[in-house]
Amino acid sequence: MDLDEKDEYWSENFKNLDFSGQEISSKEFDGCTFEKCNFSEATFKRCNFVDCEFINCNLSIVKMEYSTFSDVCFKDSKLIGINWTQAAWPGLIFTSPIKFYKSILNESSFYGLSLQDLVLEECKAHNVDFREGDFSNSNFTHTELSGSIFANTNLSGADFSEATDYDIDIYQNILKKAKFSRFEAIRLLDSLEIELVD
């Protein structure tokens, strides 16, 4: 399918389509569903996604050049190597405009972003950069966070229940009222340089 036909797409379903390597420029998608589509190495340039859903899609190494997202949900999708800081985020956000469920976000960057109430539920988020950001009240439940970096990150009220492999320095991050599973929370003591004995 060629997306050059029109500039606005309303409540359309895109299924089993290959957009890999394409530049998708200045398009508006409102209420659209993308299922089993391949966007790997594509570029979203100045596109607007409103109330859209990506299900079982491959968006690895997608470039997000000044595109905006509002109430967009990614399910069972692959989003490896994305620099989310290249998207156009509004100055004031009260709730995260993007949510991820059962998706792979390895090698991605959310550096310095303010995405309160971000949802990363049952995801793989290895080597993801969360430094200098505000992810207060976010949901990281059941997510693998091996190698992900948190520094000067606001995680107050965030839920890490059943999350695993995180490395969070309690002195360098704001963790007030954050939730952690009891056994996994022992990892938080690593920053104290103490020795635990049975």
Side-chain angles (χ1 to χ4, degrees):
M1 181 179 180
D2 187 2
L3 286 176
D4 287 335
E5 293 169 14
K6 49 187 182 178
D7 294 332
E8 296 181 0
Y9 294 86
W10 301 83
S11 304
E12 293 203 30
N13 293 323
F14 301 89
K15 195 167 181 180
N16 296 314
L17 298 173
D18 187 358
F19 301 104
S20 55
Q22 291 186 25
E23 180 174 296
I24 300 161
S25 185
S26 303
K27 304 291 178 194
E28 172 99 26
F29 298 95
D30 199 315
C32 293
T33 303
F34 302 88
E35 194 173 348
K36 293 183 181 169
C37 292
N38 183 8
F39 291 97
S40 60
E41 298 189 53
T43 300
F44 293 140
K45 194 170 188 174
R46 298 188 191 280
C47 292
N48 292 329
F49 295 90
V50 179
D51 195 21
C52 291
E53 207 169 32
F54 290 82
I55 303 162
N56 250 315
C57 290
N58 182 0
L59 295 106
S60 294
I61 325 180
V62 160
K63 289 189 177 73
M64 298 289 185
E65 294 183 10
Y66 309 108
S67 288
T68 62
F69 296 85
S70 178
D71 205 12
V72 176
C73 184
F74 300 89
K75 294 178 181 170
D76 298 295
S77 291
K78 208 178 189 180
L79 303 113
I80 295 170
I82 294 179
N83 183 355
W84 290 95
T85 67
Q86 292 177 338
W89 303 103
L92 204 58
I93 305 177
F94 293 108
T95 182
S96 177
I98 48 174
K99 295 180 168 67
F100 305 92
Y101 300 92
K102 294 184 178 175
S103 294
I104 303 171
L105 292 93
N106 301 350
E107 316 292 337
S108 295
S109 176
F110 293 90
Y111 179 88
L113 293 180
S114 176
L115 294 174
Q116 298 171 18
D117 297 301
L118 177 70
V119 174
L120 264 80
E121 202 173 285
E122 291 185 70
C123 292
K124 278 192 174 77
H126 299 179
N127 305 313
V128 176
D129 191 348
F130 293 102
R131 291 173 301 161
E132 307 288 339
D134 182 354
F135 304 100
S136 49
N137 301 312
S138 290
N139 177 354
F140 292 94
T141 56
H142 296 273
T143 289
E144 293 174 28
L145 290 157
S146 133
S148 287
I149 323 170
F150 298 88
N152 285 332
T153 309
N154 184 352
L155 297 166
S156 54
D159 190 349
F160 286 88
S161 305
E162 307 301 327
T164 57
D165 300 327
Y166 45 80
D167 185 12
I168 301 173
D169 188 321
I170 59 173
Y171 294 117
Q172 290 188 10
N173 299 283
I174 303 168
L175 295 170
K176 190 178 179 184
K177 295 197 172 169
K179 284 186 204 152
F180 297 91
S181 296
R182 194 179 302 277
F183 293 112
E184 200 64 26
I186 288 172
R187 302 180 68 87
L188 298 173
L189 300 178
D190 287 349
S191 50
L192 296 176
E193 293 182 26
I194 59 175
E195 187 182 338
L196 294 175
V197 290
D198 291 330

